Amino acid sequence: GALTYASARHEIDGLLDAKAVMQLLDVPPVQRLTGPPWPPQQPSDLIGTDDLWTAVQNRDVLLFHPYERFDPVVELVTSAADDPDVLAIKQTLYRIGKDSPVIGALRRAAENGKQVTAVVELKARFDEEYNIDLSRQMEESGINAVFGFVRWKTHCKATLVVRREGKRLRRYVHLSSGNYNTATAKIYTDLGLLTCHPDFGKDVSALFNVLTGFN
C-alpha cells in the first residue's frame, strides 16, 4: 500500500492496517476456517483449592494468559473487597476496559471502609477521556485516585493487598505484563504472578510510596 501526503509519498511493504484483519474473523466464510475455540484453563497451582489466600501462601502462582484464566486476578480484588481482614488495596490502572469487575470491587472495598488507592494513568492512549471519568467515579466512592507523573507514563501493572492474619500483616502482590482488562486478557499473551513473598511485598510497597508520594 502507499500513503500520499501533500509533500511526501510513503511506501509500506505490507498491510496498511494489520489490526483490521481481525475483523475478518466475523465474516462467516472465514469463521468456518478457524479451529475450535481454546477455553482458558484453570492454573494448575489453583486446581482443587477454594481459598486463594491459602493457595498463594503455599506457593507463588504464575499465570499465562490467555491460555490460563484471568479469573484468579479478578478474584484477588473481589475477595479483598469483601474480606473483613483486608485493610488496604493499592493498584495501578492503565487500560481498564468498560464495566470492569475490578473497578466495581475497588469501589465496593472503599465503601466497606478499606483504604483503597488507585494510580490511574491519564495518558493511556485512546483511553484518556475514559480514565478521567473513571477517576471521578472512584473518588465518589472514597477511593484515593492518584495520577501519573507529568513527564512519564506509569506503565507498570501491580496490585498490593494488605491483610491482617492473626497478629501479623501479610502483603499479597500481583504483578503482570498485561492490563487489568478482562476483555484483552482473553486475547493478548501476558504473564502474571501472584505471591506473598516478603521481598515482593516490600518492593511493591516502595513502588506505591513513590507513585503516591510524588503526586
Side-chain angles (χ1 to χ4, degrees), residues 38-166:
W38 173 271
Q41 306 296 302
Q42 177 73 349
S44 58
D45 290 335
L46 298 178
I47 293 177
T49 178
D50 296 325
D51 182 55
L52 184 63
W53 309 116
T54 303
V56 177
Q57 290 171 22
N58 291 335
R59 64 178 299 167
D60 294 348
V61 178
L62 185 66
L63 306 171
F64 188 20
H65 311 301
Y67 310 105
E68 292 182 323
R69 299 169 63 189
F70 191 70
D71 301 53
V73 180
V74 177
E75 182 184 350
L76 174 71
V77 185
T78 55
S79 297
D82 299 317
D83 190 328
D85 291 323
V86 169
L87 306 179
I89 306 173
K90 298 184 179 183
Q91 188 171 47
T92 59
L93 298 174
Y94 185 83
R95 205 178 300 282
I96 309 105
K98 306 298 189 293
D99 301 321
S100 170
V102 172
I103 299 302
L106 292 177
R107 297 182 66 176
R108 190 169 68 255
E111 293 164 357
N112 287 339
K114 305 182 189 304
Q115 180 189 5
V116 182
T117 300
V119 181
V120 183
E121 181 50 72
L122 300 183
K123 298 187 292 294
R125 192 171 57 167
F126 307 125
D127 284 344
E128 298 92 342
E129 182 178 1
Y130 176 71
N131 283 4
I132 292 173
D133 292 338
L134 183 64
S135 300
R136 292 170 178 162
Q137 296 174 24
M138 290 193 295
E139 287 176 335
E140 292 174 356
S141 298
I143 296 174
N144 178 29
V146 178
F147 308 111
F149 296 96
V150 174
R151 296 183 179 180
W152 306 299
K153 284 187 180 183
T154 303
H155 216 290
C156 59
K157 284 79 179 183
T159 299
L160 174 68
V161 175
V162 181
R163 188 171 187 258
R164 179 179 52 230
E165 297 175 357

Side-chain angles (χ1 to χ4, degrees), residues 26 40 65 121 138 171 182 184:
D26 297 327
H65 311 301
E121 181 50 72
M138 290 193 295
R171 291 178 287 196
T182 54
T184 57

Side-chain angles (χ1 to χ4, degrees), residues 9-31:
R9 178 180 174 88
H10 300 273
E11 296 290 339
I12 299 175
D13 183 14
L15 296 171
L16 181 62
D17 181 11
K19 185 178 178 181
V21 177
M22 296 182 67
Q23 300 176 16
L24 293 175
L25 296 176
D26 297 327
V27 179
V30 177
Q31 288 178 340

